[in-house]
Every structure is written in structure tokens, then in C-alpha cells.
Amino acid sequence: MTGEKDIQQRRLAERRAHRLALTDDVKRLMEALNRDSPEEWRSYRATVDQEGILEADVHNRIIQTAFALFPGRETRDIADLLERMIEMTRSELGKGDWKV
């Protein structure tokens, strides 16, 4: 049982380390969204602040921008990028860290 718990802890630590490594890419994505789609960016930040659900057009714009900025990335990599963006946005808004 202890071995299983150690494996789970190690995987969780690896996942967190991976997401932290995405910080520079996320900053690039956030800057692009703020510059190219300021209305969607404001809506995204308000939604994160209120812990709500993103509107479809905002979600689509974020996804399109992410794939345009990082065309070689797999879908899982983009999902990790978006998770990290939520963490960073929550932190900026004073909402604390996003829990895994």
C-alpha cells in the first residue's frame, strides 16, 4: 500500500512541476489574448474571479489562440497550459492557488 501511495505522490509532484514549467508559455498566451481579444480576456478574468463557466465564444477564442501560438502541441499539452493559466489568473486575482 505504501508503494502505491508513493507512486501517486511522485506522479502528482511531476504533474505540478510540469505545469509550473509552462509559466512562460502561459504568460505569452495571456499577453496575446489581452492584446488581440481584450473583450474576451476581460470576460475570462471575470469568469475566473466569479468561479463561473466560460461562455462558448470566449472558450473558443482561448483555444484558437493557444493552438495558433503553439501549433505543434498535443491537446493534452494545451489542456495543461489552460490549467496553468487558470492557476496564474486566480493568483493574480487574489483567489489563491488552484487545487489539483
Side-chain angles (χ1 to χ4, degrees):
M1 203 51 102
T2 303
E4 234 178 84
K5 194 171 189 176
D6 290 340
I7 291 170
Q8 288 176 346
Q9 290 294 332
R10 188 176 67 241
R11 285 182 183 158
L12 182 59
E14 288 170 356
R15 184 128 175 82
R16 286 182 178 153
H18 170 69
R19 282 206 330 270
L20 284 174
L22 296 172
T23 298
D24 289 338
D25 290 344
V26 172
K27 286 179 182 176
R28 187 172 157 205
L29 175 59
M30 292 165 76
E31 289 169 0
L33 288 166
N34 190 27
R35 179 187 62 243
D36 300 339
S37 306
E39 189 64 34
E40 284 90 352
W41 180 244
R42 280 191 293 278
S43 178
Y44 168 78
R45 286 181 56 88
T47 301
V48 171
D49 187 39
Q50 297 167 9
E51 299 182 13
I53 297 172
L54 283 177
E55 295 176 17
D57 58 332
V58 174
H59 176 265
N60 290 340
R61 171 60 67 186
I62 291 169
I63 296 293
Q64 289 170 354
T65 303
F67 277 109
L69 284 174
F70 310 106
R73 301 260 174 110
E74 298 285 327
T75 301
R76 181 68 211 162
D77 295 332
I78 295 296
D80 289 344
L81 197 73
L82 299 178
E83 282 182 48
R84 181 67 180 133
M85 189 168 79
I86 290 172
E87 290 173 356
M88 291 172 65
T89 303
R90 286 180 56 81
S91 180
E92 285 179 7
L93 293 169
K95 295 287 188 175
D97 293 329
W98 186 260
K99 302 298 180 208
V100 179

